[in-house]
Amino acid sequence: GWQLAAAEGIVVDATELASELQEARDEIEQGGEYDSWEAFLEAMGSDEDDFAGQLSTYILFQQLIESHGGPADAEHVNAAHILVETEETAQEVLDRLESGESFADLAAEYSTDTSNKDNGGDLGWFARGMMVPEFEEAAFALSPGETSGVVATDFGYHIIQVNGKEVRPLSAELYQQMQQQNFLSWFEAETDKADIETLVQFAEPVS
């Protein structure tokens, strides 16, 4: 990890390390779990230099993640859907849509997705990575104002209507997930290239 950071020209600023260290220390002293900072370090089987070393590795990786985590914005789609159990029913809904009936009325009448059938099947805005692949592919392929044909997923048969498409900021949770995925892909590629061994373990993102 250190070799990669050095190659990237990333260094841990001494002032930043000192302030992170102070913050960790304040947290421990105010947390009440340990009598003192020294007691905490002893419990960790470490001393201040050791801890500072671990902390600077952590800061370094955060910086690498920042620079290889990809953009914080992504294309989003605003869509609604009608979910039914059979292909025949889906076809029936499509026929009624084509004859001019409203999407919202048909959602209320047919959709088995009770979370949104009564508000026109509205799914709000979503980015890639939030819906099942078949659904996502169909939704992102449509332009605003367009309605899909029958889209089959594990949930049943959907008819999707796209109401908007724009680049928007990713939610904090999705951004963190994307950042980790992008960073790990980059990191694995670099590690393969350089045959670097690393002991850093990444916590699984909490979904």
Side-chain angles (χ1 to χ4, degrees):
W2 283 98
Q3 293 107 305
L4 283 182
E8 294 277 302
I10 290 177
V11 288
V12 176
D13 178 63
T15 325
E16 187 186 354
L17 181 60
S19 89
E20 289 278 349
L21 200 57
Q22 189 55 52
E23 211 171 289
R25 190 176 177 146
D26 292 346
E27 225 168 273
I28 294 301
E29 288 174 346
Q30 288 155 21
E33 201 181 323
Y34 299 93
D35 294 340
S36 66
W37 173 240
E38 287 68 28
F40 161 75
L41 290 172
E42 203 174 310
M44 288 288 138
S46 133
D47 58 27
E48 190 153 317
D49 286 348
D50 233 13
F51 187 81
Q54 288 168 7
L55 192 58
S56 63
T57 304
Y58 172 76
I59 295 169
L60 222 139
F61 271 92
Q62 290 307 109
Q63 288 177 326
L64 280 172
I65 288 172
E66 286 294 307
S67 52
H68 293 280
D73 296 336
E75 187 179 35
H76 283 61
V77 157
N78 185 314
H81 79 147
I82 297 169
L83 175 63
V84 294
E85 280 171 15
T86 68
E87 203 166 347
E88 293 71 40
T89 312
Q91 199 47 61
E92 200 177 297
V93 174
L94 269 184
D95 294 343
R96 288 180 65 177
L97 276 172
E98 273 160 27
S99 69
E101 292 190 53
S102 97
F103 195 91
D105 290 348
L106 292 168
E109 185 180 335
Y110 282 94
S111 188
T112 59
D113 186 347
T114 51
S115 67
N116 56 35
K117 61 178 297 190
D118 295 326
N119 60 353
D122 182 31
L123 294 163
W125 289 96
F126 55 89
R128 291 180 195 277
M130 291 170 75
M131 302 288 180
V132 292
E134 304 85 349
F135 189 95
E136 186 172 282
E137 218 167 285
F140 278 89
L142 296 167
S143 296
E146 287 183 339
T147 302
S148 72
V150 178
V151 178
T153 72
D154 290 344
F155 297 102
Y157 296 87
H158 310 253
I159 288 145
I160 306 165
Q161 185 179 62
V162 166
N163 303 313
K165 203 182 242 186
E166 61 185 53
V167 172
R168 297 163 71 92
L170 291 165
S171 70
E173 196 181 327
L174 192 64
Y175 179 45
Q176 198 181 0
Q177 210 179 317
M178 294 292 190
Q179 247 192 343
Q180 292 203 336
Q181 280 169 5
N182 292 336
F183 170 72
L184 285 175
S185 311
W186 171 81
F187 186 72
E188 280 161 13
E190 289 295 316
T191 310
D192 288 348
K193 262 195 304 202
D195 194 27
I196 292 168
E197 297 233 349
T198 177
L199 298 170
V200 175
Q201 294 291 317
F202 286 93
E204 282 299 303
V206 180
S207 53

